[in-house]
Amino acid sequence: MAAAYELRCRECGKRFDNAPLSICDECFSPLEVICDLEAARGTFTREAIAAGPSSMWRYKSLLPVPEDYKPVTPAGWTPLLPAPHLAERIGAKNLYIKNDAVCMPTLSFKDRVVAVALANAQTFGFDTVGCSSTGNLANAVAAGAARHGLKTYILVPSDLEPAKILNTQVYGATLVRIDGNYDHVNRLCSQIADRYSWGFVNVNLRPYYAEGSKSVGFEIAEQLGWRLPDNVVCPMAGGSLITKIRKAFKELIALGLVEEKEVRFFGAQATGCSPISTAVKNGADHIEPQRPSTIARSLAIGNPADGVYAARAIRQSGGWAEDVSDVEIVSAIQELAETEGIFTETAGGVTTAVTARLYAHGRIHPDDLTVTCITGNGLKTTDALAGVYDQEAAIRPRLTDFEAYISQKNDEPELVVEGANVR
Ligand SMILES: *Cc1c(COP(=O)(O)O)cnc(C)c1O
Ligand SMILES: [Zn+2]
């Protein structure tokens, strides 16, 4: 039986059999997985999906894994939550949060892409896998490889957050810290993958890895009752996630699972690493690489592999991109936690701050149905909030002490911090 998916060059269209390949040998453009939609027509139905597992594997027939693949990691199927309090703060009326801060097993959306990449590592017979990572991918690969029983080498920039380093080492992965930024690390990984024939999830397995992000789009549509939103706001690092949510929506339209509609895509970056949002704002066709300098380390890719495609998708959809400062990121992390009870990492601070700005600037209409993608968990980047909250002296366990504490608290003048939100 022919595989229901194959690799195709994004530029010249050359077709390739399934293999650990990411670049076209004719034109050196990136390869992409194309799933056979006609073959999926019988299995990818609302009823079959509803009867599937409570994980991203309910969409298995449109993910690039063998038909008889038995899922190892139940990633995905995260909550889509109405966000009325945040909406009120920022002038929105119909705002939802796709909350991958609680994605299993390592608390970021990277668990989705890794689940698909490791399924393929298994198919291709690799016994050793690895990745270059800004942090969350390292955690997801380390955990996933432990479940799959694979050896793991993970390369990261040396300035990674301590929690992301610990969350990699605990799974028994070999963590190699590189004295350089993500772009240096990534280049080295390409060379290692060639030399040692290992499966690097975001290098030679990248086309398969990237398809895992479609599950975010499938879930949003299903959780809205098989409807598409008007807008999606999505953080961008390499620029893959935003393009794959859009691809998922297009596949759902092609299969008749949702009504046809052009969803506007809005990209979010940190100003300290904003090659894609800059290209969108300038109307440029190419990406000018940057040297990253931001607390949003999970998004700090200065030369994004899918940047051109992300910028193109945003423009074609009628959307926009914005970038925000580190001060705005911290304040947005607090705002999301205080209004909706969701503690996100710096990337979610970026997305929340950008969402607020898009409403403030009238780029998004208040009545629109908008989904904001929160992609990672705040417990991994607690250093971003270092010094923000005082550790007060303990009081004695007496009611009088408590009353004195409360009255003193109420006497305190309002603290005004320059650049922070006034509450
Ligand atoms: C990797 C990552 C992203 C961006 O993903 P790309 O597909 O590379 O654009 C967004 N948020 C978090 C938390 C991430 O770890
Ligand atoms: Zn080509």
Side-chain angles (χ1 to χ4, degrees):
M1 196 197 80
Y5 55 92
E6 64 177 15
L7 294 174
R8 216 170 286 173
C9 175
R10 278 186 178 173
E11 297 300 333
C12 77
K14 183 173 174 182
R15 300 159 78 152
F16 298 80
D17 288 338
N18 289 303
L21 278 181
S22 63
I23 304 286
C24 175
D25 60 0
E26 294 280 337
C27 74
F28 305 105
S29 300
L31 303 182
E32 181 177 31
V33 169
I34 302 293
C35 294
D36 183 346
L37 295 185
E38 286 316 309
R41 215 170 260 284
T43 46
F44 201 84
T45 64
R46 290 183 184 185
E47 296 69 30
I49 291 165
S54 299
S55 75
M56 63 185 278
W57 296 112
R58 63 205 279 112
Y59 311 107
K60 191 174 94 172
S61 55
L62 275 188
L63 295 172
V65 294
E67 208 182 327
D68 60 356
Y69 176 67
K70 297 266 177 299
V72 176
T73 303
W77 198 241
T78 58
L80 181 74
L81 302 163
H85 304 117
L86 177 65
E88 201 181 327
R89 284 268 182 99
I90 67 175
K93 295 197 177 126
N94 202 3
L95 181 66
Y96 286 79
I97 289 171
K98 180 60 174 162
N99 187 17
D100 269 17
V102 295
C103 194
M104 289 303 290
T106 66
L107 308 180
S108 88
F109 98 94
K110 290 294 198 305
D111 289 316
R112 301 170 181 273
V113 286
V114 167
V116 176
L118 294 186
N120 283 279
Q122 226 168 21
T123 310
F124 296 135
F126 290 115
D127 65 357
T128 303
V129 294
C131 65
S132 54
S133 174
T134 56
N136 286 314
L137 185 60
N139 302 165
V141 169
R147 287 191 72 82
H148 283 79
L150 296 162
K151 287 193 288 258
T152 323
Y153 285 86
I154 287 169
L155 285 77
V156 296
S158 57
D159 70 344
L160 216 58
E161 297 92 340
K164 286 183 178 162
I165 291 180
L166 179 67
N167 269 295
T168 304
Q169 291 173 320
V170 74
Y171 299 107
T174 303
L175 183 79
V176 187
R177 290 172 68 227
I178 304 294
D179 188 13
N181 64 34
Y182 175 82
D183 298 291
H184 300 125
V185 175
N186 198 46
R187 207 173 314 135
L188 176 59
C189 281
S190 302
Q191 295 170 330
I192 297 172
D194 283 347
R195 168 81 57 106
Y196 292 84
S197 87
W198 291 345
F200 270 78
V201 304
N202 57 341
V203 181
N204 50 353
L205 296 171
R206 186 173 180 86
Y208 301 95
Y209 151 100
E211 285 289 287
S213 290
K214 287 194 311 191
S215 62
V216 178
F218 294 146
E219 288 177 21
I220 290 171
E222 185 179 358
Q223 290 170 322
L224 287 173
W226 293 114
R227 268 187 314 155
L228 298 182
D230 298 310
N231 312 298
V232 170
V233 187
C234 182
M236 303 185 292
S240 175
L241 173 62
I242 193 166
T243 64
K244 294 295 178 171
I245 296 176
R246 187 156 188 256
K247 184 179 183 185
F249 290 170
K250 289 192 178 304
E251 290 182 344
L252 293 176
I253 292 169
L255 289 173
L257 269 73
V258 295
E259 247 174 63
E260 177 151 19
K261 174 175 184 176
E262 186 74 74
V263 178
R264 285 178 293 273
F265 280 83
F266 294 86
Q269 294 206 292
T271 304
C273 184
S274 50
I276 309 177
S277 64
T278 301
V280 170
K281 287 176 178 174
N282 295 342
D285 269 338
H286 70 286
I287 301 288
E288 199 65 55
Q290 293 182 2
R291 184 198 298 235
S293 172
T294 169
I295 57 167
R297 297 205 192 101
S298 54
L299 303 182
I301 299 183
N303 191 9
D306 293 290
V308 168
Y309 300 101
R312 207 179 281 171
I314 290 167
R315 218 172 289 132
Q316 283 174 355
S317 78
W320 189 243
E322 281 291 346
D323 47 81
V324 290
S325 70
D326 285 1
V327 171
E328 290 173 284
I329 294 169
V330 171
S331 155
I333 289 173
Q334 295 173 284
E335 184 133 31
L336 182 63
E338 291 173 17
T339 54
E340 299 299 340
I342 294 170
F343 183 19
T344 183
E345 69 148 81
T346 46
V350 169
T351 315
T352 304
V354 164
T355 303
R357 189 183 295 174
L358 291 166
Y359 279 96
H361 289 186
R363 297 254 175 211
I364 294 182
H365 192 276
D367 293 327
D368 279 3
L369 198 175
T370 300
V371 175
T372 288
C373 298
I374 297 301
T375 47
N377 195 294
L379 291 173
K380 295 200 207 183
T381 61
T382 53
D383 49 329
L385 298 178
V388 170
Y389 300 103
D390 295 331
Q391 179 78 282
E392 293 176 356
I395 60 169
R396 288 175 300 186
R398 290 187 192 149
L399 188 56
T400 48
D401 283 46
F402 180 72
E403 284 171 339
Y405 170 82
I406 286 290
S407 68
Q408 178 214 337
K409 197 95 190 143
N410 292 339
D411 285 347
E412 263 182 29
E414 280 280 305
L415 200 63
V416 179
V417 181
E418 202 191 341
N421 274 6
V422 180
R423 276 184 272 258

